[in-house]
């Protein structure tokens, strides 16, 4: 063991070699991260015969955006794919968007309360809320289904919106707590000495200061809601089908047409991928939430 | 950061406005999109219907299995989401018991029904009511690639399983075909169909008249053993069958990789002659008799699918208008012309224009004696699932055929009827 | 009353009330209701009947080999995917914590797999694994590692591992991000001191980094296990639908089949409740970690 250690140490002492090692690893990590998704993109711009050659053409000779045109604007074989796609995009925006807004509003004040105010049962309530986030949807889908059925909320925006909110809310509370921590308590105290009430301080002083946190939490919540599949699969039937559900149908609808399938996949991933890559710093803060201060 | 927020809010408002813009009567149709229609025929017809009537049609379509998973709970829950629904032949017993559907005879009138194939009306009727009108008259034929056989010097297509094995080996040895044939044996209803038809082709059946399992009969065991042998002993079935759907198997055949298609849907004959989707134009023929264990036995599936209206539909009149639009004699003929499906109107089987395109329809009367449907029990979805699990265990050699059969019997007997 | 409402405690309750209502109405209440359903027979083919059957559903489940096999598969799926994703995540985080050109870019990019929905992820990998035209086959063939295309997902002995691989790819970034964020909180003076003492990089990792990372790794194990159980449904639904045979049928998928394919809601509710109990065990462990480890204590 000792010998191996010395060997490694000796090896690392030659700095150039160490650099080579690091860069090799970085390249491997880079490939690991993007190659599968790149293959999906390449599949979506290939023509069928090239894609079905053995072994496949890694770089398409005749790249084409035809399948994108067909899904976005309609084509011969898929007269209505365009319509359904737009409808699903609309549904996803409505449901994920409204759930995000509601969670930001009621989640941020709750998380402020948990961070700054002292009251009995605070710890147990918080842990209970966080624990609900762990329950898999399949464990409670039957009662939810029965309730939605009774309330005639199956396949409605409202039904999906309520359900999503309850699943995303614990997450937003948890992430926002990390941000409220970073706001110095002195500012609040000063405002209160100036005669602001608790709620006044919250609305006028704390929330504006927490705006970047709110935005980050919002983006994070939006991506999570946008990508949700199981609840949407069960609770929607036709009218409010979200994008992931539509894409899951694509994968069999075009059963043998891998070009169309890949195109659907790429298009559905664009919003979360673009949001995530653009705001990755905030997302990372969101993911690590209150667990790590930094 | 403020920019981000405003973009999010703007997006939200925009999409809400877009939603309000939807108005007018819209009916929702749920039907599987599968091997029978790879050209988007029904989508085009829906557009025509919209233009003609002003009623909007929203079609929910996915593979058969996924449609089943979505539709059955929705019907059971009394949901009014769907106005026209897929009504599969294997659900007749279940739907007759649950009375989820609207009787159609009041809408259709006797003269409308009279001229349709009586067998189809009979199948989708229960307790004196008609519950569905067929949209996909799916009867299977044994099709083969005549050019390949000719190249290999084979005069007649096989009529027994042994002949099929022998001919496939010759074609594969000569390099004419990659495999004898490919099946859609992924986990799903298509595999359950295959199990049923193989059993019949060995002279067996899965359930007796009273619904008791006869899966351990020598015929059923022999059929399952033969399915396993096709993959592992004779190796004439493409191993990719185990992860393929029927669409994929159709694709492989149309690419010219395989020579035979034992349970081919009528549309395949049509598609094979369409150069846009086929490399084997004018090469496919229909064998006089479906395959069986002897020259006297043969089996082909009969899997018609109908359209029906749930009792909970809010627009039954528009729904019926759609069904009638899709199934009337004129559209039905257009459907046959476009995607090669069998008509539901007796008269169309003698239509000269159609017969010229599909000369094999002349055998239709002879084919009838070989036809078999799926078992009719209220617990069919559970039955077909536990069966496919054990069939798959045998096909992948995780269990021997005997073990799989024994476990299948236990599982089926454990189903609470 | 007014006084109480303006007191710290009063406002405290008031502010969390809306959240509690939303969460509890959709999660806590259904959990209790699913217990109620699970003591009944609810078979939607006979929708009118709803007889009380006591523990019958639970007794049947406890005797069902299909259920226990599915539980076993769930643990395998969870254990392997979480274990590998964390080890891989640790390795990647250590590399990305070094100095190199383009570090910010690669660090940002690493989030990509996480941003894909599980549906797209499942579809993408199913296509990569495809037995007739898949990229994996093409790649291995060109490398000369296989001599003909293999139908990877048709073999019940390995199909689960392919599903797990797809899950690992998507879940690795979470580990990387957590560990990377934590690595940055370790003061560099600790390493400087160790360097002065002549400690090798390995020793510095073994005796400084790893002990400091222990709490975050523990937390990751618990959290990710819960998420893996929760998310196993999506990926299985997309790639194999539980097949071939039952070789990838995890317990969440089994609950789905019983409920929405066989329409046995009572029995399905009982299975779901058992899943909830398993998760609760994890939740308790999680809470203990959160309480005992200092890393979270400050925020409460």
């Amino acid at each position: 063991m000792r010998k191996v250690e010395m060997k490694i140490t000796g090896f690392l002492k030659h700095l150039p070699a160490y650099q080579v090692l690091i860069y090799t690893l970085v390249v491997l990590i880079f490939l690991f991260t993007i190659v599968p998704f790149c293959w999906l993109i390449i599949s979506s711009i290939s023509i069928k015969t090239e894609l079905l050659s053995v072994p496949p053409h890694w770089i398409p000779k005749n790249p084409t955006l035809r399948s994108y045109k067909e899904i976005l604007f309609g084509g011969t074989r898929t007269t209505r794919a365009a319509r359904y796609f737009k409808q699903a995009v609309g549904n996803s925006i409505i449901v994920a968007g409204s759930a995000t807004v509601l969670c930001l509003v009621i989640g941020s004040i709750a998380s402020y309360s948990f961070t700054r105010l002292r009251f009995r049962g605070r710890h147990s309530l918080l842990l209970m809320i966080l624990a609900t986030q762990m329950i898999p949807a399949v464990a409670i889908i039957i009662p939810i289904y029965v309730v939605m059925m009774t309330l005639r909320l199956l396949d409605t925006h409202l039904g999906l919106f309520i359900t999503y909110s309850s699943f995303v809310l614990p997450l937003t509370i948890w992430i926002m707590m990390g941000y409220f921590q970073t706001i110095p308590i002195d500012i609040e105290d000063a405002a209160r000495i100036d005669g602001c009430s608790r709620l006044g301080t919250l609305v006028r002083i704390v929330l504006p200061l927490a705006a970047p946190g709110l935005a980050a939490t919002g983006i994070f919540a939006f991506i999570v809601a946008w990508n949700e599949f199981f609840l949407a699969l069960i609770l929607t039937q036709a009218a409010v089908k979200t994008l992931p559900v539509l894409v899951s149908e694509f994968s069999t609808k075009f059963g043998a047409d891998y070009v169309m399938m890949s195109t659907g996949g790429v298009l559905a991933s664009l919003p979360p991928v673009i949001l995530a890559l653009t705001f990755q710093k905030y997302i990372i803060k969101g993911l690590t939430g209150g667990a790590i201060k930094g | 950061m403020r920019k981000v927020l405003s973009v999010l809010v703007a997006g939200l408002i925009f999409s809400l406005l877009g939603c309000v813009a939807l108005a007018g009567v819209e009916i929702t149709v749920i039907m599987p999109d599968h091997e029978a229609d790879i050209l988007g025929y029904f989508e085009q017809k829906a557009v025509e219907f919209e233009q003609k009537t002003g009623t909007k049609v929203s079609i929910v379509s996915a593979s058969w299995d996924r449609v089943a998973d979505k539709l059955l709970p929705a019907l059971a829950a009394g949901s009014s989401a769907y106005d026209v629904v897929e009504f599969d032949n294997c659900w007749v017993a279940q739907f007759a018991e649950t009375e989820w559907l609207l009787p159609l005879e009041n809408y259709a009138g006797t003269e409308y029904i009279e001229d349709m194939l009586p067998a189809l009306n009979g199948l989708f009727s229960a307790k004196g009511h008609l519950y569905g009108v067929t949209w996909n008259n799916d009867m299977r034929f044994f099709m083969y690639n005549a050019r390949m056989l000719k190249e290999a010097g084979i005069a007649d297509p096989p009529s027994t399983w042994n002949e099929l094995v022998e001919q496939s080996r010759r074609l594969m040895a000569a390099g004419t075909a990659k495999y004898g044939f490919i099946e859609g044996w992924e986990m799903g209803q298509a595999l359950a169909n295959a199990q049923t038809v193989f059993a019949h082709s060995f002279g067996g059946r899965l359930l007796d008249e009273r619904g008791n399992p006869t899966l351990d009969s020598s015929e059923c065991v022999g059929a399952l053993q033969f399915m396993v042998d096709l993959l592992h002993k004779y190796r004439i079935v493409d191993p990719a069958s185990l992860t393929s759907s029927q669409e994929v198997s159709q694709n492989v055949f149309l690419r010219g990789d395989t020579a035979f298609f034992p349970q081919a849907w009528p549309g395949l004959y049509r598609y094979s002659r369409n150069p846009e989707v086929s490399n084997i134009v004018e090469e496919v023929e229909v064998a006089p008799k479906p395959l069986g264990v002897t020259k006297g036995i043969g089996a082909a599936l009969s899997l018609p699918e109908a359209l029906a209206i749930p009792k909970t539909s809010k627009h039954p009149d528009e729904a019926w208008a759609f069904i009638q639009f899709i199934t009337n004699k004129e559209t039905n003929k257009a459907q046959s012309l476009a995607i090669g499906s069998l008509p539901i109107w007796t008269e169309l089987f003698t239509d000269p224009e159609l017969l010229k395109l599909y000369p094999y329809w002349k055998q239709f009367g002879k084919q009838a004696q070989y036809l078999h449907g799926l078992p009719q029990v209220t617990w069919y979805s559970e039955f077909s699932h536990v069966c496919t699990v054990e069939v798959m265990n045998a096909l992948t050699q995780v269990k021997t055929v005997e073990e799989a059969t024994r476990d299948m019997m236990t599982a089926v007997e454990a189903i609470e009827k | 009353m007014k006084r109480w409402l303006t007191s710290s405690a009063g406002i405290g309750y008031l502010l969390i009330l809306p959240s509690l209502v939303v969460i509890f109405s959709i999660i806590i209440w259904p959990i209790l209701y699913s217990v109620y359903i699970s003591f009944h027979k609810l078979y939607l083919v006979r929708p009118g009947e709803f007889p009380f059957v006591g523990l019958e559903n639970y007794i049947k489940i406890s005797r069902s080999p299909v259920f226990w096999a599915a539980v076993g598969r769930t643990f395998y799926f969870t254990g392997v995917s979480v274990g590998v994703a964390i080890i891989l995540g640790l390795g990647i985080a250590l590399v990305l914590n070094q100095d190199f050109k383009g570090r910010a870019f690669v660090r940002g990019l690493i989030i990509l797999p996480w941003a894909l929905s599980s549906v797209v992820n499942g579809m993408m990998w199913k296509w990569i694994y495809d037995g007739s035209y898949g990229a994996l086959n093409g790649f291995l063939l060109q490398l000369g590692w296989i001599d003909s295309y293999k139908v990877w997902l048709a073999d019940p002995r390995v199909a689960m591992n392919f599903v797990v691989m797809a899950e690992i790819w998507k879940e690795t970034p979470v580990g990387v991000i957590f560990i990377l964020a934590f690595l940055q909180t370790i003061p560099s003076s600790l390493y400087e001191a160790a360097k002065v003492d002549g400690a090798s990089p390995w020793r510095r990792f073994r005796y400084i980094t790893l002990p400091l990372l222990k709490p975050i790794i523990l937390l990751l194990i618990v959290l990710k296990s819960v998420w893996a159980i929760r998310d196993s449904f999506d990926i299985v639904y997309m790639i194999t639908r539980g097949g071939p045979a039952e070789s990838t049928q995890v317990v969440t998928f089994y609950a789905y089949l019983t409920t929405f394919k066989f329409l046995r809601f009572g029995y399905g509710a009982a299975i779901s409740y058992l899943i909830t109990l398993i998760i609760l065990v994890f939740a308790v462990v999680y809470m203990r970690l959160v309480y005992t480890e200092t890393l979270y204590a400050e925020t409460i």
Side-chain angles (χ1 to χ4, degrees), chain C residues 48-61:
Chain C
E49 301 165 20
F50 191 53
F52 179 78
V53 292
L55 286 171
E56 197 190 298
N57 287 328
Y58 289 97
I59 294 169
K60 263 208 279 178
I61 294 171

Side-chain angles (χ1 to χ4, degrees), chain A:
Chain A
M1 194 60 216
R2 183 80 217 166
K3 234 178 169 179
V4 178
E5 247 169 58
M6 278 171 61
K7 248 189 183 165
I8 295 174
T9 323
F11 170 69
L12 292 181
K13 267 192 187 132
H14 302 282
L15 258 187
Y18 174 72
Q19 290 284 344
V20 169
L21 178 74
I22 288 291
Y23 278 99
T24 319
L25 289 174
V26 168
V27 168
L28 284 178
I29 292 169
F30 178 75
L31 292 178
F32 168 83
T33 308
I34 65 155
V35 161
F37 190 62
C38 280
W39 179 237
L40 197 69
I41 297 177
I42 290 174
S43 303
S44 72
I45 56 168
S46 295
I47 54 170
K48 219 173 158 185
T49 46
E50 266 196 286
L51 207 57
L52 299 190
S53 51
V54 174
H57 293 180
W58 302 108
I59 311 287
K61 281 191 195 102
N62 309 302
T64 164
L65 291 175
R66 211 193 59 172
S67 56
Y68 285 87
K69 211 181 114 206
E70 281 199 26
I71 289 189
L72 292 176
F73 307 108
T76 47
R77 242 203 70 194
T78 50
T79 38
R80 342 202 80 213
R83 183 162 126 195
Y84 298 137
F85 198 82
K86 276 179 205 136
Q87 198 183 0
V89 170
N91 289 333
S92 276
I93 294 178
I94 292 172
V95 176
S98 54
T100 303
V101 170
L102 181 80
C103 289
L104 280 183
V105 173
I106 66 175
S108 61
I109 57 173
S111 109
Y112 174 79
S113 167
F114 280 125
T115 333
R116 284 289 152 86
L117 300 172
R118 317 265 142 214
F119 51 90
R120 201 184 280 187
R122 195 161 69 91
H123 287 181
S124 0
L125 274 175
L126 175 62
L127 284 176
M128 221 145 115
I129 288 178
L130 294 183
T132 58
Q133 201 239 103
M134 303 179 139
I135 308 287
V138 72
I140 47 173
I141 192 66
I142 297 174
I144 294 181
Y145 189 85
V146 173
V147 170
M148 295 289 170
M149 180 170 109
T150 326
L151 297 177
R152 302 255 153 237
L153 283 178
L154 281 177
D155 203 33
T156 60
H157 288 122
L158 184 63
L160 208 55
F161 155 66
I162 299 173
T163 322
Y164 274 20
S165 299
S166 72
F167 274 81
V168 180
L169 200 48
L171 215 64
T172 45
I173 293 179
W174 153 268
I175 299 172
M176 277 312 292
M177 284 180 66
Y179 282 97
F180 284 127
Q181 286 287 316
T182 61
I183 298 171
I185 203 152
D186 308 353
I187 299 179
E188 271 178 76
D189 290 343
R192 296 198 58 197
I193 289 166
D194 290 348
C196 253
S197 67
R198 265 270 177 211
L199 289 179
T201 321
L202 173 60
V203 175
R204 271 180 242 135
I205 312 287
V206 181
L207 284 181
L209 280 174
L214 281 171
T217 313
I219 291 162
F220 189 84
F222 185 81
I223 294 180
V224 171
W226 180 278
N227 283 343
E228 200 287 331
F229 172 61
F230 181 73
L231 291 165
L233 175 76
I234 306 292
L235 298 178
T236 69
Q237 285 151 358
V240 298
K241 214 188 285 174
T242 61
L243 210 43
V245 178
L246 187 79
V247 169
S248 84
E249 283 171 13
F250 258 40
S251 73
T252 58
K253 182 180 167 80
F254 300 112
D257 190 342
Y258 302 104
V259 180
M260 286 298 273
M261 205 179 77
S262 308
T263 311
V266 172
L267 283 173
S269 317
L270 281 184
V273 167
I274 291 175
L275 278 178
L277 292 182
T278 317
F279 301 102
Q280 40 98 1
K281 267 192 196 145
Y282 298 99
I283 306 280
I284 289 174
K285 264 197 185 151
L287 261 178
T288 49
I292 298 161
K293 293 172 86 180

Side-chain angles (χ1 to χ4, degrees), chain C residues 1 18 30 35 47 55 64 97 116 127 153 158 176 207 236 261 300:
Chain C
M1 188 66 198
V35 180
L55 286 171
S64 157
N97 201 36
L116 293 188
W127 167 222
L153 292 174
V158 299
V176 177
Y207 294 107
V236 164
K261 198 173 187 74
I300 293 191

Side-chain angles (χ1 to χ4, degrees), chain B residues 66 69 73 76 94 97-98 100 187 239-240 242-243 255 381-382 385 389 392-393 396-398 415-417, chain C residues 41 44-46 60 132-133 151 153-154 156-157 237 241 243-246 256-257 260-264:
Chain B
R66 291 189 183 194
D69 283 4
Q94 189 175 349
E97 171 132 350
T98 53
W100 288 331
M187 290 290 294
L242 294 176
T243 56
R255 275 167 60 85
S381 3
E382 212 164 343
H385 177 79
V389 165
M392 196 54 134
N393 274 328
T396 51
Q397 295 187 308
V398 169
I415 298 174
E416 213 179 306
K417 311 301 182 322
Chain C
K41 186 177 167 187
L44 286 199
V45 174
R46 302 203 176 83
K60 263 208 279 178
S132 307
Y133 314 109
V151 192
L153 292 174
R157 279 152 288 232
Y237 181 88
R241 284 185 70 90
E246 286 169 335
Y256 168 81
L257 269 188
F260 293 100
K261 198 173 187 74
F262 309 155
L263 302 178
R264 300 192 185 274

Side-chain angles (χ1 to χ4, degrees), chain C residues 202-214:
Chain C
W202 165 252
R203 302 198 70 136
R204 276 180 297 192
F205 170 71
R206 175 71 187 79
Y207 294 107
I208 301 176
T209 319
L210 212 50
L212 283 170
L213 282 179
K214 203 185 112 197

